[in-house]
Amino acid sequence: MLSEKKITIAVDGYSSCGKSTLAKALAGSLGYLFIDSGAMYRGVTLYCMRSGLIENGVLQKEAIENALNEIELHFEYNPETDISELILNGENVEHQIRMPNVAANVSKVAAIKSVRHKLVEEQRKIGANGGIVMDGRDIGSVVFPNAELKLFVTAAPEIRAQRRKDELESKGVQITLDEVIANLMERDLIDSTREESPLIQVEDAIVIDTSYLTREEQLKQALELVNQVTLQN
Ligand code: CDP
């Protein structure tokens, strides 16, 4: 029996390892809020691309920093898709932010200090009352260092790439496995070597390897961990 106390759950890991799938299922089972923090970095990236602040993979860093106050992001739950969709300055951009052109630039944008400060502040506000599962790269290390439960999700590289290819194809995007692998590798490298809050596995995180687990098995493991934590608190 799960206790009534609503905790904070941080889910971190490399690109396309199943973080969002697990975090969303966990939030659904617990009646918690689910926030995909990566969507916010993707939203900022889309805005910059549309504003001509990123061209051919080249970022105008200072102009991006100055444009941050023009960007308003929030999530709106869509019962038809069962997804909290990203709204950028009043426009639903959930589909556009998942496209490969955004994925190609997002890690460079996410390495900019002021971008992170803005989004981390917003993420903390959203999670201020607990009862939240947030997934990303720096959730357990920076956004919610006091989270009661921290998960670090991993999966074998070829499985991650195949899952992302399938996901993109289901959205009508034709892409080769090699293109997907190249993007995942590039993002992993930038995300884990950047100066500002790089992706790390914090000491108190518990690893879940999703490579050979079904969605149900992953969820079961995570729920058992939640149960242990809530019994202790
Ligand atoms: O879903 P996927 O694993 O492809 O990535 P995502 O969660 O949508 O995140 C996209 C990108 O945003 C990552 O590659 C990071 O560069 C950045 N990100 C971050 O820096 N910090 C977070 N908390 C979440 C995402």
Side-chain angles (χ1 to χ4, degrees), residues 11-20 36-42 45 97-98 102-103 105-111 116 120 123 134-139 143 160 164 167 183-184 187-188 190-191 194 196-197 199:
V11 182
D12 289 299
Y14 292 99
S15 301
S16 193
C17 59
K19 298 181 302 294
S20 291
D36 167 6
S37 68
M40 300 168 77
Y41 289 92
R42 288 171 179 267
T45 305
I97 60 168
R98 306 291 163 193
V102 173
N105 291 308
V106 62
S107 288
K108 289 180 229 163
V109 173
R116 305 204 67 80
V120 168
Q123 289 153 7
M134 190 177 289
D135 84 288
R137 304 291 186 289
D138 60 343
I139 310 304
V143 181
R160 291 164 53 201
R164 180 51 47 95
E167 198 178 315
N183 177 253
L184 297 185
R187 282 199 288 133
D188 284 355
I190 299 176
D191 293 347
R194 68 183 174 220
E196 187 71 13
S197 48
L199 167 64

Side-chain angles (χ1 to χ4, degrees), residues 16-53:
S16 193
C17 59
K19 298 181 302 294
S20 291
T21 306
L22 176 61
K24 184 166 173 270
L26 198 50
S29 302
L30 297 167
Y32 282 17
L33 185 63
F34 160 60
I35 295 291
D36 167 6
S37 68
M40 300 168 77
Y41 289 92
R42 288 171 179 267
V44 171
T45 305
L46 180 65
Y47 180 88
C48 295
M49 289 167 65
R50 286 176 169 180
S51 310
L53 305 179

